[in-house]
Amino acid sequence: MPSKLDPHLAAIEVWLAEQPQLTALAIVGRLSEKHPEEFGTRQHSIVQRLLRALRRRAAEQLVAEESLGDATTAAPLSGVVDGSGYVGPDPPTAPPTEQAWKATWRGQSVDIASTAATAPSG
């Protein structure tokens, strides 16, 4: 069964592409500005149904594209995987205040707190 909105479907899709957050009332308002004899607030419900169908179709396309993309790019990893994605050395476990006093100089670990405390005050 043809809809009153069929001749205006292309324009509505363009509006939604430019402004996806448009409401059915906003679309009815735009249609009534261009075609006041055809559209008014009484057409709000048919525009709501059309909007719901268009958004559902767009969401289904996104989900289908997403699952196709995941299926072609995802490859199983060999070995044990903890899920963190971190491949570097183990992070330091000392409290942050203790870490702040440690430094590395010429490949050797230097405890800044102890050298500063024992330096001559002279």
Side-chain angles (χ1 to χ4, degrees):
M1 181 168 166
S3 168
K4 188 176 196 171
L5 296 173
D6 286 346
H8 310 286
L9 188 57
I12 293 170
E13 288 177 336
V14 169
W15 295 339
L16 288 171
E18 292 170 355
Q19 296 178 300
Q21 76 283 0
L22 276 179
T23 64
L25 279 176
I27 293 171
V28 168
R30 288 183 181 194
L31 289 170
S32 66
E33 286 175 9
K34 293 183 181 238
H35 308 284
E37 68 286 346
E38 281 185 72
F39 293 98
T41 55
R42 294 183 64 162
Q43 282 72 38
H44 179 247
S45 62
I46 64 169
V47 175
Q48 278 182 319
R49 284 192 297 272
L50 173 68
L51 202 52
R52 191 176 305 122
L54 290 174
R55 288 184 173 149
R56 183 180 303 124
R57 184 175 60 190
E60 288 170 354
Q61 285 176 339
L62 283 174
V63 169
E65 290 171 7
E66 180 84 15
S67 27
L68 283 177
D70 287 347
T72 57
T73 59
L77 298 174
S78 60
V80 177
V81 177
D82 69 355
S84 70
Y86 182 74
V87 294
D90 289 340
T93 56
T97 54
E98 185 178 326
Q99 291 175 21
W101 296 107
K102 302 265 182 194
T104 303
W105 185 70
R106 292 189 181 183
Q108 295 179 349
S109 179
V110 178
D111 190 351
I112 298 172
S114 64
T115 58
T118 59
S121 60

